[in-house]
Amino acid sequence: MSAFPTQAQVVIIGGGVGGASIAYHLTKMGWKDVVIVEKHELTSGSTWHSAGLVGQMRSDANLTRMMHYSTDLYRSLKAETGQDTSWREVGGLRLASSFERMEENRRLVGMARSFGVPMEMISAKEAQDMFPLMDIKGVVGAAYTPNDGSIDPTGLTNALAIGAKNRGAQILLYTTVTGINLKNGRVHEVVTDKGTIKTEIVVNASGMWGREIGKMVGLSLPVIPMAHLYILTKPIEGVTNKFPNLRDPDLLVYWREEVGGLVTGGYERQPATFGLNGIPKDFKYQLLNPDWDRFTPLMENSIRRVPAVENAEVKMLLNGPEGFTPDGEFLLGPTSVKGFWVACAFCAHGLAGAGGIGKVMAEWIIDGSPEWDMW
Ligand SMILES: Cc1cc2nc3c(=O)[nH]c(=O)nc-3n(C[C@H](O)[C@H](O)[C@H](O)COP(=O)(O)OP(=O)(O)OC[C@H]3O[C@@H](n4cnc5c(N)ncnc54)[C@H](O)[C@@H]3O)c2cc1C
């Protein structure tokens, strides 16, 4: 076992998919003296219970570029690291159930194609041919992305961590960051329950704990933990592993195939916060109580678009927390405290975003600015 490092070029707080990807990319760009500090095990925060969808279409060109980069990376990670990630390139459909949404889809497809994402507009019938259990009543058309996919969140995180370790990164598990000392207004030391690490750069990749870590340097970061819900069904007749991921933004619901059944969840109009007065101290690999009352509107919308969900046997209703920001986008970049960087609150699309997030953060830290404009 390696000795506890007393100094490092960069300390990353958090061993979820975000922290692992940042370490992967920093080491890929040549920095070796990189340490991840994780209070439990890799993925034990929000990452392990992710629904596994990797979609590329976002409302902003550079966010779409980040997701596109992620898919390219995820396709190649197993060959590079030997770690299976269960990457499945099943494609993705984004329905338009209104003319306004259709316009939006057209605009986003045009934008994404301009930098090489192979998206195309298809008819409602063509979408149904790919996902035959879908009721296309009210569907005007769809955007189709053939290289969207799904991935095992634990496999992905482990692969990124292996890549980082192979290039020199050190990962400290069961090590809790308890403080960050500043000197002359900039990051100087990270204090943990196992010892202190001298460093000039700290990356706060602690997900929904982002606000708590921010307080250690006197910052009030806009990170709010929220509960996110999805169900996993037993096999449903007619579902095959050829089904693309499906999203209906007008109904706020998504679906993806899993062992002959469906994962279906979505975004609530009245989401529930979690741990606003502090996340319970030993919160690891934990879920919140299944909340059928809150899930009911999503379930109704899911059934509306995919009627077979109504009679499907539900294996579980998963209720898991994750960090969100007020604008629903990632919190990334430098802060007013010199040497203190943030990469947290991934708003329920951090699995898809992690590849791009790692690249952007590594370029920003090493080169001073990322390839793509993040403002
Ligand atoms: C139910 C659900 C479904 C989702 N489905 C999808 C999906 O289909 N597709 C998608 O793209 N995204 C999805 N997401 C989002 C995705 O899972 C998250 O965005 C991502 O996993 C967050 O990763 P992270 O590294 O930021 O956080 P985490 O995985 O939470 O990692 C942060 C780590 O920091 C550690 N930490 C905290 N405080 C300290 C400390 N003081 N010292 C040391 N370590 C510390 C924690 O232990 C934790 O392991 C989903 C989220 C939820 C909740």
Side-chain angles (χ1 to χ4, degrees), residues 14 16-18 37-39 44-47 49-53 175-177 205-207 209 213 228 230 318 320-322 346 348-352:
V17 70
V37 183
E38 165 53 53
K39 65 177 168 177
S44 60
S46 297
T47 297
H49 56 58
S50 169
L53 286 90
T175 307
T176 302
V177 172
S206 63
W209 289 267
I213 299 293
H228 185 72
Y230 66 81
L318 188 145
E322 131 102 317
F346 298 159
H349 55 291
L351 201 69

PDB file of all heavy atoms in Angstrom, residues 14 16-18 37-39 44-47 49-53 175-177 205-207 209 213 228 230 318 320-322 346 348-352, ligand 1:
ATOM      1  N   GLY A  14     -13.532  13.752  -3.599  1.00  0.00           N
ATOM      2  CA  GLY A  14     -14.684  13.014  -4.108  1.00  0.00           C
ATOM      3  C   GLY A  14     -14.295  11.979  -5.145  1.00  0.00           C
ATOM      4  O   GLY A  14     -13.659  12.299  -6.150  1.00  0.00           O
ATOM      5  N   GLY A  16     -16.459  10.058  -6.943  1.00  0.00           N
ATOM      6  CA  GLY A  16     -17.568   9.681  -7.825  1.00  0.00           C
ATOM      7  C   GLY A  16     -17.077   9.736  -9.263  1.00  0.00           C
ATOM      8  O   GLY A  16     -15.872   9.885  -9.530  1.00  0.00           O
ATOM      9  N   VAL A  17     -18.019   9.659 -10.199  1.00  0.00           N
ATOM     10  CA  VAL A  17     -17.616   9.645 -11.598  1.00  0.00           C
ATOM     11  C   VAL A  17     -16.933  10.961 -11.983  1.00  0.00           C
ATOM     12  O   VAL A  17     -16.019  10.980 -12.820  1.00  0.00           O
ATOM     13  CB  VAL A  17     -18.833   9.323 -12.506  1.00  0.00           C
ATOM     14  CG1 VAL A  17     -19.842  10.468 -12.551  1.00  0.00           C
ATOM     15  CG2 VAL A  17     -18.393   8.916 -13.890  1.00  0.00           C
ATOM     16  N   GLY A  18     -17.333  12.067 -11.321  1.00  0.00           N
ATOM     17  CA  GLY A  18     -16.730  13.366 -11.629  1.00  0.00           C
ATOM     18  C   GLY A  18     -15.272  13.415 -11.221  1.00  0.00           C
ATOM     19  O   GLY A  18     -14.389  13.745 -12.030  1.00  0.00           O
ATOM     20  N   VAL A  37      -9.272  12.079  -2.845  1.00  0.00           N
ATOM     21  CA  VAL A  37      -9.605  11.733  -1.461  1.00  0.00           C
ATOM     22  C   VAL A  37     -11.096  11.418  -1.407  1.00  0.00           C
ATOM     23  O   VAL A  37     -11.927  12.264  -1.754  1.00  0.00           O
ATOM     24  CB  VAL A  37      -9.275  12.893  -0.495  1.00  0.00           C
ATOM     25  CG1 VAL A  37      -9.569  12.464   0.941  1.00  0.00           C
ATOM     26  CG2 VAL A  37      -7.823  13.316  -0.629  1.00  0.00           C
ATOM     27  N   GLU A  38     -11.417  10.207  -0.997  1.00  0.00           N
ATOM     28  CA  GLU A  38     -12.819   9.751  -0.972  1.00  0.00           C
ATOM     29  C   GLU A  38     -13.136   9.212   0.424  1.00  0.00           C
ATOM     30  O   GLU A  38     -12.429   8.349   0.928  1.00  0.00           O
ATOM     31  CB  GLU A  38     -13.024   8.671  -2.044  1.00  0.00           C
ATOM     32  CG  GLU A  38     -14.294   7.855  -1.918  1.00  0.00           C
ATOM     33  CD  GLU A  38     -15.579   8.681  -1.826  1.00  0.00           C
ATOM     34  OE1 GLU A  38     -15.807   9.534  -2.692  1.00  0.00           O
ATOM     35  OE2 GLU A  38     -16.348   8.462  -0.859  1.00  0.00           O
ATOM     36  N   LYS A  39     -14.218   9.709   1.012  1.00  0.00           N
ATOM     37  CA  LYS A  39     -14.460   9.335   2.414  1.00  0.00           C
ATOM     38  C   LYS A  39     -14.969   7.910   2.581  1.00  0.00           C
ATOM     39  O   LYS A  39     -14.861   7.347   3.663  1.00  0.00           O
ATOM     40  CB  LYS A  39     -15.387  10.332   3.097  1.00  0.00           C
ATOM     41  CG  LYS A  39     -16.787  10.426   2.585  1.00  0.00           C
ATOM     42  CD  LYS A  39     -17.547  11.428   3.461  1.00  0.00           C
ATOM     43  CE  LYS A  39     -18.863  11.822   2.871  1.00  0.00           C
ATOM     44  NZ  LYS A  39     -19.613  12.719   3.731  1.00  0.00           N
ATOM     45  N   SER A  44     -19.689   5.686  -4.045  1.00  0.00           N
ATOM     46  CA  SER A  44     -20.626   5.464  -2.932  1.00  0.00           C
ATOM     47  C   SER A  44     -21.569   6.644  -2.665  1.00  0.00           C
ATOM     48  O   SER A  44     -22.468   6.542  -1.836  1.00  0.00           O
ATOM     49  CB  SER A  44     -19.849   5.128  -1.658  1.00  0.00           C
ATOM     50  OG  SER A  44     -18.989   6.204  -1.327  1.00  0.00           O
ATOM     51  N   GLY A  45     -21.392   7.773  -3.381  1.00  0.00           N
ATOM     52  CA  GLY A  45     -22.288   8.924  -3.196  1.00  0.00           C
ATOM     53  C   GLY A  45     -23.521   8.791  -4.077  1.00  0.00           C
ATOM     54  O   GLY A  45     -24.409   7.975  -3.807  1.00  0.00           O
ATOM     55  N   SER A  46     -23.585   9.559  -5.164  1.00  0.00           N
ATOM     56  CA  SER A  46     -24.726   9.480  -6.091  1.00  0.00           C
ATOM     57  C   SER A  46     -24.462   8.542  -7.260  1.00  0.00           C
ATOM     58  O   SER A  46     -25.397   8.031  -7.876  1.00  0.00           O
ATOM     59  CB  SER A  46     -25.041  10.865  -6.678  1.00  0.00           C
ATOM     60  OG  SER A  46     -25.437  11.754  -5.672  1.00  0.00           O
ATOM     61  N   THR A  47     -23.185   8.332  -7.579  1.00  0.00           N
ATOM     62  CA  THR A  47     -22.876   7.664  -8.847  1.00  0.00           C
ATOM     63  C   THR A  47     -23.440   6.255  -8.938  1.00  0.00           C
ATOM     64  O   THR A  47     -23.978   5.859  -9.978  1.00  0.00           O
ATOM     65  CB  THR A  47     -21.344   7.665  -9.065  1.00  0.00           C
ATOM     66  OG1 THR A  47     -20.910   9.026  -9.175  1.00  0.00           O
ATOM     67  CG2 THR A  47     -20.954   6.906 -10.315  1.00  0.00           C
ATOM     68  N   HIS A  49     -26.055   4.766  -8.043  1.00  0.00           N
ATOM     69  CA  HIS A  49     -27.467   4.503  -8.348  1.00  0.00           C
ATOM     70  C   HIS A  49     -27.963   5.254  -9.587  1.00  0.00           C
ATOM     71  O   HIS A  49     -29.164   5.374  -9.815  1.00  0.00           O
ATOM     72  CB  HIS A  49     -28.363   4.781  -7.142  1.00  0.00           C
ATOM     73  CG  HIS A  49     -28.259   6.167  -6.578  1.00  0.00           C
ATOM     74  ND1 HIS A  49     -28.501   7.289  -7.325  1.00  0.00           N
ATOM     75  CD2 HIS A  49     -27.954   6.599  -5.339  1.00  0.00           C
ATOM     76  CE1 HIS A  49     -28.354   8.350  -6.560  1.00  0.00           C
ATOM     77  NE2 HIS A  49     -28.009   7.968  -5.354  1.00  0.00           N
ATOM     78  N   SER A  50     -27.026   5.723 -10.404  1.00  0.00           N
ATOM     79  CA  SER A  50     -27.426   6.409 -11.628  1.00  0.00           C
ATOM     80  C   SER A  50     -28.200   5.462 -12.553  1.00  0.00           C
ATOM     81  O   SER A  50     -27.955   4.262 -12.586  1.00  0.00           O
ATOM     82  CB  SER A  50     -26.169   6.900 -12.347  1.00  0.00           C
ATOM     83  OG  SER A  50     -26.499   7.347 -13.633  1.00  0.00           O
ATOM     84  N   ALA A  51     -29.123   6.034 -13.329  1.00  0.00           N
ATOM     85  CA  ALA A  51     -29.937   5.215 -14.240  1.00  0.00           C
ATOM     86  C   ALA A  51     -29.174   4.801 -15.495  1.00  0.00           C
ATOM     87  O   ALA A  51     -29.671   3.992 -16.276  1.00  0.00           O
ATOM     88  CB  ALA A  51     -31.203   5.975 -14.627  1.00  0.00           C
ATOM     89  N   GLY A  52     -27.994   5.369 -15.717  1.00  0.00           N
ATOM     90  CA  GLY A  52     -27.112   4.861 -16.764  1.00  0.00           C
ATOM     91  C   GLY A  52     -27.331   5.399 -18.169  1.00  0.00           C
ATOM     92  O   GLY A  52     -26.698   4.932 -19.114  1.00  0.00           O
ATOM     93  N   LEU A  53     -28.210   6.383 -18.353  1.00  0.00           N
ATOM     94  CA  LEU A  53     -28.431   6.914 -19.708  1.00  0.00           C
ATOM     95  C   LEU A  53     -27.325   7.898 -20.085  1.00  0.00           C
ATOM     96  O   LEU A  53     -26.946   8.752 -19.274  1.00  0.00           O
ATOM     97  CB  LEU A  53     -29.768   7.662 -19.803  1.00  0.00           C
ATOM     98  CG  LEU A  53     -31.041   6.827 -19.821  1.00  0.00           C
ATOM     99  CD1 LEU A  53     -31.535   6.604 -18.404  1.00  0.00           C
ATOM    100  CD2 LEU A  53     -32.126   7.511 -20.633  1.00  0.00           C
ATOM    101  N   THR A 175     -11.094   8.057   3.584  1.00  0.00           N
ATOM    102  CA  THR A 175     -10.347   9.227   4.067  1.00  0.00           C
ATOM    103  C   THR A 175     -11.247  10.446   3.889  1.00  0.00           C
ATOM    104  O   THR A 175     -11.661  10.746   2.769  1.00  0.00           O
ATOM    105  CB  THR A 175      -9.044   9.399   3.247  1.00  0.00           C
ATOM    106  OG1 THR A 175      -8.320   8.160   3.277  1.00  0.00           O
ATOM    107  CG2 THR A 175      -8.179  10.509   3.795  1.00  0.00           C
ATOM    108  N   THR A 176     -11.554  11.101   4.991  1.00  0.00           N
ATOM    109  CA  THR A 176     -12.511  12.215   4.946  1.00  0.00           C
ATOM    110  C   THR A 176     -11.790  13.553   5.020  1.00  0.00           C
ATOM    111  O   THR A 176     -10.948  13.755   5.905  1.00  0.00           O
ATOM    112  CB  THR A 176     -13.493  12.107   6.134  1.00  0.00           C
ATOM    113  OG1 THR A 176     -14.152  10.843   6.047  1.00  0.00           O
ATOM    114  CG2 THR A 176     -14.528  13.218   6.118  1.00  0.00           C
ATOM    115  N   VAL A 177     -12.128  14.445   4.107  1.00  0.00           N
ATOM    116  CA  VAL A 177     -11.594  15.808   4.185  1.00  0.00           C
ATOM    117  C   VAL A 177     -12.368  16.546   5.277  1.00  0.00           C
ATOM    118  O   VAL A 177     -13.603  16.606   5.246  1.00  0.00           O
ATOM    119  CB  VAL A 177     -11.742  16.530   2.828  1.00  0.00           C
ATOM    120  CG1 VAL A 177     -11.365  18.001   2.958  1.00  0.00           C
ATOM    121  CG2 VAL A 177     -10.886  15.845   1.770  1.00  0.00           C
ATOM    122  N   ALA A 205     -14.998  17.983  -6.015  1.00  0.00           N
ATOM    123  CA  ALA A 205     -15.805  17.093  -6.867  1.00  0.00           C
ATOM    124  C   ALA A 205     -16.663  16.223  -5.959  1.00  0.00           C
ATOM    125  O   ALA A 205     -16.781  15.015  -6.160  1.00  0.00           O
ATOM    126  CB  ALA A 205     -14.897  16.246  -7.758  1.00  0.00           C
ATOM    127  N   SER A 206     -17.245  16.864  -4.961  1.00  0.00           N
ATOM    128  CA  SER A 206     -17.928  16.100  -3.920  1.00  0.00           C
ATOM    129  C   SER A 206     -19.436  16.016  -4.140  1.00  0.00           C
ATOM    130  O   SER A 206     -20.180  15.710  -3.206  1.00  0.00           O
ATOM    131  CB  SER A 206     -17.621  16.711  -2.550  1.00  0.00           C
ATOM    132  OG  SER A 206     -18.140  18.023  -2.490  1.00  0.00           O
ATOM    133  N   GLY A 207     -19.891  16.278  -5.357  1.00  0.00           N
ATOM    134  CA  GLY A 207     -21.305  16.085  -5.678  1.00  0.00           C
ATOM    135  C   GLY A 207     -22.215  16.892  -4.770  1.00  0.00           C
ATOM    136  O   GLY A 207     -22.045  18.099  -4.592  1.00  0.00           O
ATOM    137  N   TRP A 209     -22.328  17.045  -1.726  1.00  0.00           N
ATOM    138  CA  TRP A 209     -21.645  17.605  -0.553  1.00  0.00           C
ATOM    139  C   TRP A 209     -20.904  18.901  -0.930  1.00  0.00           C
ATOM    140  O   TRP A 209     -20.182  19.468  -0.123  1.00  0.00           O
ATOM    141  CB  TRP A 209     -20.634  16.601   0.017  1.00  0.00           C
ATOM    142  CG  TRP A 209     -21.230  15.415   0.703  1.00  0.00           C
ATOM    143  CD1 TRP A 209     -21.504  15.296   2.038  1.00  0.00           C
ATOM    144  CD2 TRP A 209     -21.612  14.160   0.116  1.00  0.00           C
ATOM    145  NE1 TRP A 209     -22.039  14.055   2.299  1.00  0.00           N
ATOM    146  CE2 TRP A 209     -22.118  13.335   1.138  1.00  0.00           C
ATOM    147  CE3 TRP A 209     -21.588  13.660  -1.188  1.00  0.00           C
ATOM    148  CZ2 TRP A 209     -22.583  12.038   0.908  1.00  0.00           C
ATOM    149  CZ3 TRP A 209     -22.056  12.374  -1.424  1.00  0.00           C
ATOM    150  CH2 TRP A 209     -22.549  11.578  -0.386  1.00  0.00           C
ATOM    151  N   ILE A 213     -18.286  21.351   1.367  1.00  0.00           N
ATOM    152  CA  ILE A 213     -16.845  21.519   1.109  1.00  0.00           C
ATOM    153  C   ILE A 213     -16.548  22.997   0.825  1.00  0.00           C
ATOM    154  O   ILE A 213     -15.537  23.539   1.267  1.00  0.00           O
ATOM    155  CB  ILE A 213     -16.396  20.621  -0.073  1.00  0.00           C
ATOM    156  CG1 ILE A 213     -16.630  19.133   0.251  1.00  0.00           C
ATOM    157  CG2 ILE A 213     -14.929  20.879  -0.433  1.00  0.00           C
ATOM    158  CD1 ILE A 213     -15.794  18.540   1.354  1.00  0.00           C
ATOM    159  N   HIS A 228     -34.130  12.215  -6.753  1.00  0.00           N
ATOM    160  CA  HIS A 228     -34.502  11.903  -8.139  1.00  0.00           C
ATOM    161  C   HIS A 228     -35.036  10.473  -8.161  1.00  0.00           C
ATOM    162  O   HIS A 228     -34.482   9.590  -7.507  1.00  0.00           O
ATOM    163  CB  HIS A 228     -33.256  12.052  -9.022  1.00  0.00           C
ATOM    164  CG  HIS A 228     -33.512  11.890 -10.476  1.00  0.00           C
ATOM    165  ND1 HIS A 228     -34.181  12.827 -11.222  1.00  0.00           N
ATOM    166  CD2 HIS A 228     -33.196  10.896 -11.334  1.00  0.00           C
ATOM    167  CE1 HIS A 228     -34.258  12.418 -12.475  1.00  0.00           C
ATOM    168  NE2 HIS A 228     -33.669  11.244 -12.570  1.00  0.00           N
ATOM    169  N   TYR A 230     -36.661   6.944 -10.164  1.00  0.00           N
ATOM    170  CA  TYR A 230     -36.985   6.127 -11.343  1.00  0.00           C
ATOM    171  C   TYR A 230     -37.405   4.736 -10.898  1.00  0.00           C
ATOM    172  O   TYR A 230     -37.095   4.326  -9.773  1.00  0.00           O
ATOM    173  CB  TYR A 230     -35.833   6.073 -12.357  1.00  0.00           C
ATOM    174  CG  TYR A 230     -34.554   5.367 -11.939  1.00  0.00           C
ATOM    175  CD1 TYR A 230     -34.428   3.977 -11.983  1.00  0.00           C
ATOM    176  CD2 TYR A 230     -33.438   6.100 -11.538  1.00  0.00           C
ATOM    177  CE1 TYR A 230     -33.239   3.344 -11.641  1.00  0.00           C
ATOM    178  CE2 TYR A 230     -32.242   5.480 -11.187  1.00  0.00           C
ATOM    179  CZ  TYR A 230     -32.147   4.100 -11.237  1.00  0.00           C
ATOM    180  OH  TYR A 230     -30.971   3.481 -10.893  1.00  0.00           O
ATOM    181  N   LEU A 318     -36.625   3.530  -7.249  1.00  0.00           N
ATOM    182  CA  LEU A 318     -35.373   4.036  -6.682  1.00  0.00           C
ATOM    183  C   LEU A 318     -35.479   5.538  -6.455  1.00  0.00           C
ATOM    184  O   LEU A 318     -35.853   6.284  -7.362  1.00  0.00           O
ATOM    185  CB  LEU A 318     -34.221   3.713  -7.631  1.00  0.00           C
ATOM    186  CG  LEU A 318     -32.829   4.023  -7.085  1.00  0.00           C
ATOM    187  CD1 LEU A 318     -31.815   3.001  -7.562  1.00  0.00           C
ATOM    188  CD2 LEU A 318     -32.384   5.427  -7.467  1.00  0.00           C
ATOM    189  N   GLY A 320     -33.083   8.449  -5.199  1.00  0.00           N
ATOM    190  CA  GLY A 320     -31.693   8.745  -4.823  1.00  0.00           C
ATOM    191  C   GLY A 320     -31.403  10.228  -4.906  1.00  0.00           C
ATOM    192  O   GLY A 320     -31.909  10.916  -5.789  1.00  0.00           O
ATOM    193  N   PRO A 321     -30.563  10.738  -4.002  1.00  0.00           N
ATOM    194  CA  PRO A 321     -30.249  12.163  -4.029  1.00  0.00           C
ATOM    195  C   PRO A 321     -29.028  12.496  -4.878  1.00  0.00           C
ATOM    196  O   PRO A 321     -28.151  11.660  -5.086  1.00  0.00           O
ATOM    197  CB  PRO A 321     -29.961  12.467  -2.559  1.00  0.00           C
ATOM    198  CG  PRO A 321     -29.399  11.199  -2.018  1.00  0.00           C
ATOM    199  CD  PRO A 321     -29.983  10.070  -2.825  1.00  0.00           C
ATOM    200  N   GLU A 322     -28.994  13.739  -5.316  1.00  0.00           N
ATOM    201  CA  GLU A 322     -27.869  14.219  -6.139  1.00  0.00           C
ATOM    202  C   GLU A 322     -27.856  15.742  -6.062  1.00  0.00           C
ATOM    203  O   GLU A 322     -28.891  16.369  -5.802  1.00  0.00           O
ATOM    204  CB  GLU A 322     -28.067  13.666  -7.558  1.00  0.00           C
ATOM    205  CG  GLU A 322     -27.946  14.627  -8.711  1.00  0.00           C
ATOM    206  CD  GLU A 322     -26.611  14.509  -9.417  1.00  0.00           C
ATOM    207  OE1 GLU A 322     -25.597  14.403  -8.698  1.00  0.00           O
ATOM    208  OE2 GLU A 322     -26.587  14.549 -10.651  1.00  0.00           O
ATOM    209  N   PHE A 346     -24.162  17.932 -10.622  1.00  0.00           N
ATOM    210  CA  PHE A 346     -24.292  17.606 -12.044  1.00  0.00           C
ATOM    211  C   PHE A 346     -25.745  17.403 -12.472  1.00  0.00           C
ATOM    212  O   PHE A 346     -26.012  16.948 -13.584  1.00  0.00           O
ATOM    213  CB  PHE A 346     -23.430  16.390 -12.393  1.00  0.00           C
ATOM    214  CG  PHE A 346     -21.949  16.593 -12.169  1.00  0.00           C
ATOM    215  CD1 PHE A 346     -21.099  15.504 -12.021  1.00  0.00           C
ATOM    216  CD2 PHE A 346     -21.407  17.867 -12.112  1.00  0.00           C
ATOM    217  CE1 PHE A 346     -19.730  15.679 -11.821  1.00  0.00           C
ATOM    218  CE2 PHE A 346     -20.039  18.066 -11.910  1.00  0.00           C
ATOM    219  CZ  PHE A 346     -19.200  16.964 -11.764  1.00  0.00           C
ATOM    220  N   ALA A 348     -28.372  15.486 -12.323  1.00  0.00           N
ATOM    221  CA  ALA A 348     -28.928  14.262 -12.914  1.00  0.00           C
ATOM    222  C   ALA A 348     -28.499  14.010 -14.353  1.00  0.00           C
ATOM    223  O   ALA A 348     -29.138  13.251 -15.073  1.00  0.00           O
ATOM    224  CB  ALA A 348     -30.452  14.202 -12.784  1.00  0.00           C
ATOM    225  N   HIS A 349     -27.399  14.678 -14.814  1.00  0.00           N
ATOM    226  CA  HIS A 349     -26.831  14.229 -16.090  1.00  0.00           C
ATOM    227  C   HIS A 349     -25.299  14.159 -16.022  1.00  0.00           C
ATOM    228  O   HIS A 349     -24.605  14.317 -17.018  1.00  0.00           O
ATOM    229  CB  HIS A 349     -27.342  15.036 -17.281  1.00  0.00           C
ATOM    230  CG  HIS A 349     -27.161  16.532 -17.200  1.00  0.00           C
ATOM    231  ND1 HIS A 349     -27.854  17.320 -16.323  1.00  0.00           N
ATOM    232  CD2 HIS A 349     -26.384  17.374 -17.914  1.00  0.00           C
ATOM    233  CE1 HIS A 349     -27.508  18.593 -16.502  1.00  0.00           C
ATOM    234  NE2 HIS A 349     -26.607  18.644 -17.456  1.00  0.00           N
ATOM    235  N   GLY A 350     -24.820  13.858 -14.813  1.00  0.00           N
ATOM    236  CA  GLY A 350     -23.371  13.820 -14.619  1.00  0.00           C
ATOM    237  C   GLY A 350     -22.692  12.587 -15.173  1.00  0.00           C
ATOM    238  O   GLY A 350     -21.487  12.601 -15.434  1.00  0.00           O
ATOM    239  N   LEU A 351     -23.450  11.530 -15.356  1.00  0.00           N
ATOM    240  CA  LEU A 351     -22.840  10.334 -15.937  1.00  0.00           C
ATOM    241  C   LEU A 351     -22.520  10.617 -17.408  1.00  0.00           C
ATOM    242  O   LEU A 351     -21.422  10.344 -17.886  1.00  0.00           O
ATOM    243  CB  LEU A 351     -23.823   9.166 -15.821  1.00  0.00           C
ATOM    244  CG  LEU A 351     -23.208   7.792 -15.897  1.00  0.00           C
ATOM    245  CD1 LEU A 351     -22.372   7.526 -14.671  1.00  0.00           C
ATOM    246  CD2 LEU A 351     -24.300   6.748 -16.039  1.00  0.00           C
ATOM    247  N   ALA A 352     -23.504  11.189 -18.093  1.00  0.00           N
ATOM    248  CA  ALA A 352     -23.291  11.559 -19.495  1.00  0.00           C
ATOM    249  C   ALA A 352     -22.234  12.653 -19.601  1.00  0.00           C
ATOM    250  O   ALA A 352     -21.461  12.700 -20.557  1.00  0.00           O
ATOM    251  CB  ALA A 352     -24.604  12.036 -20.106  1.00  0.00           C
TER     252      ALA A 352
HETATM  253  C1  LIG B   1     -31.566   8.544  -9.240  1.00  0.00           C
HETATM  254  C2  LIG B   1     -30.551   9.137 -10.163  1.00  0.00           C
HETATM  255  C3  LIG B   1     -30.477   8.721 -11.489  1.00  0.00           C
HETATM  256  C4  LIG B   1     -29.533   9.283 -12.348  1.00  0.00           C
HETATM  257  N1  LIG B   1     -29.468   8.875 -13.647  1.00  0.00           N
HETATM  258  C5  LIG B   1     -28.577   9.443 -14.500  1.00  0.00           C
HETATM  259  C6  LIG B   1     -28.501   9.043 -15.862  1.00  0.00           C
HETATM  260  O1  LIG B   1     -29.246   8.174 -16.312  1.00  0.00           O
HETATM  261  N2  LIG B   1     -27.588   9.650 -16.661  1.00  0.00           N
HETATM  262  C7  LIG B   1     -26.759  10.631 -16.196  1.00  0.00           C
HETATM  263  O2  LIG B   1     -25.980  11.172 -16.977  1.00  0.00           O
HETATM  264  N3  LIG B   1     -26.782  11.008 -14.900  1.00  0.00           N
HETATM  265  C8  LIG B   1     -27.664  10.437 -14.049  1.00  0.00           C
HETATM  266  N4  LIG B   1     -27.703  10.809 -12.738  1.00  0.00           N
HETATM  267  C9  LIG B   1     -26.726  11.775 -12.275  1.00  0.00           C
HETATM  268  C10 LIG B   1     -25.372  11.141 -11.966  1.00  0.00           C
HETATM  269  O3  LIG B   1     -25.540   9.919 -11.294  1.00  0.00           O
HETATM  270  C11 LIG B   1     -24.586  12.130 -11.108  1.00  0.00           C
HETATM  271  O4  LIG B   1     -24.560  13.385 -11.756  1.00  0.00           O
HETATM  272  C12 LIG B   1     -23.155  11.707 -10.856  1.00  0.00           C
HETATM  273  O5  LIG B   1     -23.091  10.381 -10.432  1.00  0.00           O
HETATM  274  C13 LIG B   1     -22.541  12.617  -9.807  1.00  0.00           C
HETATM  275  O6  LIG B   1     -21.201  12.265  -9.662  1.00  0.00           O
HETATM  276  P1  LIG B   1     -20.264  13.073  -8.674  1.00  0.00           P
HETATM  277  O7  LIG B   1     -18.918  12.512  -8.837  1.00  0.00           O
HETATM  278  O8  LIG B   1     -20.453  14.531  -8.863  1.00  0.00           O
HETATM  279  O9  LIG B   1     -20.888  12.807  -7.230  1.00  0.00           O
HETATM  280  P2  LIG B   1     -20.829  11.543  -6.270  1.00  0.00           P
HETATM  281  O10 LIG B   1     -20.931  10.271  -6.994  1.00  0.00           O
HETATM  282  O11 LIG B   1     -21.831  11.789  -5.206  1.00  0.00           O
HETATM  283  O12 LIG B   1     -19.366  11.626  -5.670  1.00  0.00           O
HETATM  284  C14 LIG B   1     -19.014  12.563  -4.685  1.00  0.00           C
HETATM  285  C15 LIG B   1     -18.147  11.848  -3.679  1.00  0.00           C
HETATM  286  O13 LIG B   1     -17.610  12.800  -2.764  1.00  0.00           O
HETATM  287  C16 LIG B   1     -17.384  12.113  -1.560  1.00  0.00           C
HETATM  288  N5  LIG B   1     -17.220  13.081  -0.481  1.00  0.00           N
HETATM  289  C17 LIG B   1     -18.139  13.957  -0.017  1.00  0.00           C
HETATM  290  N6  LIG B   1     -17.648  14.666   1.005  1.00  0.00           N
HETATM  291  C18 LIG B   1     -16.381  14.233   1.203  1.00  0.00           C
HETATM  292  C19 LIG B   1     -15.359  14.570   2.135  1.00  0.00           C
HETATM  293  N7  LIG B   1     -15.545  15.498   3.088  1.00  0.00           N
HETATM  294  N8  LIG B   1     -14.180  13.917   2.067  1.00  0.00           N
HETATM  295  C20 LIG B   1     -13.969  12.962   1.107  1.00  0.00           C
HETATM  296  N9  LIG B   1     -14.913  12.596   0.211  1.00  0.00           N
HETATM  297  C21 LIG B   1     -16.103  13.227   0.252  1.00  0.00           C
HETATM  298  C22 LIG B   1     -18.636  11.261  -1.410  1.00  0.00           C
HETATM  299  O14 LIG B   1     -18.434  10.168  -0.539  1.00  0.00           O
HETATM  300  C23 LIG B   1     -18.905  10.835  -2.845  1.00  0.00           C
HETATM  301  O15 LIG B   1     -18.430   9.529  -3.134  1.00  0.00           O
HETATM  302  C24 LIG B   1     -28.639  10.272 -11.865  1.00  0.00           C
HETATM  303  C25 LIG B   1     -28.716  10.686 -10.529  1.00  0.00           C
HETATM  304  C26 LIG B   1     -29.659  10.134  -9.684  1.00  0.00           C
HETATM  305  C27 LIG B   1     -29.725  10.614  -8.279  1.00  0.00           C
END
